Amino acid sequence: MKMCYLIGYPLEHSLSPLMHNTAFRLLGLEYRYEARPIRPGELEEFVGRELRSPDTAGANVTMPYKETVMELLDVLDVEASEIGAVNTVVNRDGSLVGYNTDGRAALRALRESGVPLSGARVVVLGAGGAARAVVYHLCREASEITVLNRTPRRAVRLAEDASGWGGCPVRWAHLTPETLSRHLADADLLVNATPVGMYPNVSETPVPRELLREDMAVFDVVYNPPRTRLLRDAEEAGAKTVSGVLMFVYQGAEAFRLWTGVEPPVEAMMEVVLEALGCGGT
Ligand SMILES: NC(=O)c1ccc[n+]([C@@H]2O[C@H](COP(=O)([O-])OP(=O)(O)OC[C@H]3O[C@@H](n4cnc5c(N)ncnc54)[C@H](OP(=O)(O)O)[C@@H]3O)[C@@H](O)[C@H]2O)c1
């Protein structure tokens, strides 16, 4: 039996064990996925003892360790290194390799939802790990990206790092009602990469409804609930919407492929996640 772990602290109820164990069972793979809350100060020991064990295939890494785990690994994939965060670790014969599957998953979600990306003017809300992963991929497709963040320092760092990623210009501004309104006025795609609207704060939204238009697409990285208030408002405005559930399942599918070398059963993974989120049958 090969083990895969989810490491973070505190670990809220996560859908990853259900999603991965369903996939392992369906394909008859001798793997098991377990969530392991690791207290600050215990990360190094866990990585050395459990992740390096020959019985371990790898792990997913979540808050607050996506950055700190990097220095405990042997090899970093270029993408993870440039984004500056690891969400997936693979144990390759005792050598620990760090990947970031979030950005690729976001890109796949947007593409499969039919959102035109080539030449798009994009506004990204937030400048944390999810925003960095999304901008890393979108800057190769879009014509311009504006990052709006509550804390300017983080947005500045993202824009500076992005200038070395070989894509379109990435600008930044302080997130205020005025900058939001001004930059959304000619945006083709809005990405919410903040937790605003996430369960249990489901009545919150990062964008007033009147700023949403039918000729824009709206992607919310929040996946619980699958239809956030932002997405419901956008739908009402006639905009194309993309749920963070797609990104969640695709980042897991990519990790599954890295651990097992086997094509993940994406449809079954999506179904079990939607069912657990109370959207069975959709
Ligand atoms: N669908 C998926 O597969 C997936 C994958 C990864 C993450 N996510 C989701 O993405 C969200 C962000 O995750 P992350 O890893 O990027 O977190 P993070 O690194 O902590 O960054 C959070 C970002 O959101 C901003 N923010 C937080 N609260 C805010 C508020 N009340 N108003 C305005 N901005 C606010 C922060 O601004 P400051 O810099 O000012 O603090 C920061 O830019 C979470 O909800 C997470 O669950 C989803």
Side-chain angles (χ1 to χ4, degrees), residues 63 66 102 126-130 149-151 154 175 193-196 198 221-223 244 247-248 251:
M63 298 218 291
K66 283 186 170 187
D102 281 341
N149 200 44
R150 191 176 58 173
T151 308
R154 267 178 126 181
L175 175 60
T194 78
V196 177
M198 189 166 80
V221 302
V222 171
Y223 60 87
M247 176 177 168
F248 176 75
Q251 62 76 32

Side-chain angles (χ1 to χ4, degrees), residues 223-247:
Y223 60 87
N224 186 10
R227 308 305 300 166
T228 56
R229 171 152 173 223
L230 172 64
L231 291 187
R232 284 185 278 117
D233 287 349
E235 250 165 27
E236 269 178 39
K240 186 184 269 295
T241 60
V242 182
S243 168
V245 169
L246 298 186
M247 176 177 168

Side-chain angles (χ1 to χ4, degrees), residues 157-238:
R157 205 185 117 213
L158 171 47
E160 280 175 3
D161 289 351
S163 68
W165 292 344
C168 71
V170 176
R171 304 190 179 86
W172 70 272
H174 188 194
L175 175 60
T176 66
E178 191 275 321
T179 56
L180 189 59
S181 164
R182 180 154 47 87
H183 289 286
L184 278 184
D186 59 0
D188 304 307
L189 169 63
L190 162 67
V191 180
N192 174 41
T194 78
V196 177
M198 189 166 80
Y199 179 85
N201 304 312
V202 296
S203 62
E204 292 180 5
T205 175
V207 179
R209 184 187 305 222
E210 60 273 16
L211 298 184
L212 303 168
R213 308 181 317 270
E214 65 177 337
D215 61 341
M216 64 169 33
V218 179
F219 172 38
D220 200 338
V221 302
V222 171
Y223 60 87
N224 186 10
R227 308 305 300 166
T228 56
R229 171 152 173 223
L230 172 64
L231 291 187
R232 284 185 278 117
D233 287 349
E235 250 165 27
E236 269 178 39

Side-chain angles (χ1 to χ4, degrees), residues 6-279:
L6 171 64
I7 55 178
Y9 193 83
L11 272 187
E12 306 292 327
H13 175 70
S14 166
L15 293 171
S16 291
L18 174 70
M19 175 170 73
H20 285 292
N21 287 325
T22 300
F24 293 148
R25 206 168 35 244
L26 195 71
L27 299 189
L29 297 174
E30 294 277 303
Y31 282 68
R32 197 165 81 234
Y33 189 106
E34 272 182 14
R36 286 287 181 92
I38 305 293
R39 288 177 184 281
E42 293 173 359
L43 181 66
E44 190 167 352
E45 195 209 329
F46 184 83
V47 169
R49 185 169 35 88
E50 300 290 346
L51 288 199
R52 287 189 189 279
S53 155
D55 297 333
T56 300
N60 280 139
V61 184
T62 186
M63 298 218 291
Y65 302 130
K66 283 186 170 187
E67 291 169 27
T68 46
V69 77
M70 295 172 79
E71 63 202 40
L72 304 174
L73 306 178
D74 303 305
V75 183
L76 286 179
D77 175 65
V78 176
E79 185 177 335
S81 166
E82 294 199 319
I83 291 170
V86 160
N87 77 333
T88 303
V89 178
V90 180
N91 179 340
R92 227 164 250 140
D93 301 322
S95 178
L96 298 182
V97 190
Y99 294 89
N100 188 310
T101 68
D102 281 341
R104 234 171 302 169
L107 193 67
R108 180 174 173 188
L110 287 163
R111 283 211 178 112
E112 292 193 356
S113 303
V115 174
L117 298 176
S118 175
R121 288 159 300 181
V122 182
V123 169
V124 175
L125 307 182
R132 290 180 67 87
V134 166
V135 169
Y136 185 80
H137 282 271
L138 279 186
C139 75
R140 288 163 174 77
E141 310 270 340
S143 64
E144 60 177 56
I145 298 178
T146 305
V147 174
L148 302 178
N149 200 44
R150 191 176 58 173
T151 308
R153 181 175 40 81
R154 267 178 126 181
V156 173
R157 205 185 117 213
L158 171 47
E160 280 175 3
D161 289 351
S163 68
W165 292 344
C168 71
V170 176
R171 304 190 179 86
W172 70 272
H174 188 194
L175 175 60
T176 66
E178 191 275 321
T179 56
L180 189 59
S181 164
R182 180 154 47 87
H183 289 286
L184 278 184
D186 59 0
D188 304 307
L189 169 63
L190 162 67
V191 180
N192 174 41
T194 78
V196 177
M198 189 166 80
Y199 179 85
N201 304 312
V202 296
S203 62
E204 292 180 5
T205 175
V207 179
R209 184 187 305 222
E210 60 273 16
L211 298 184
L212 303 168
R213 308 181 317 270
E214 65 177 337
D215 61 341
M216 64 169 33
V218 179
F219 172 38
D220 200 338
V221 302
V222 171
Y223 60 87
N224 186 10
R227 308 305 300 166
T228 56
R229 171 152 173 223
L230 172 64
L231 291 187
R232 284 185 278 117
D233 287 349
E235 250 165 27
E236 269 178 39
K240 186 184 269 295
T241 60
V242 182
S243 168
V245 169
L246 298 186
M247 176 177 168
F248 176 75
V249 172
Y250 295 155
Q251 62 76 32
E254 200 51 42
F256 182 99
R257 195 195 315 273
L258 287 166
W259 296 324
T260 63
V262 172
E263 191 61 31
V266 176
E267 269 180 36
M269 293 164 86
M270 187 79 72
E271 206 171 294
V272 77
V273 167
L274 284 172
E275 199 176 309
L277 289 168
C279 306

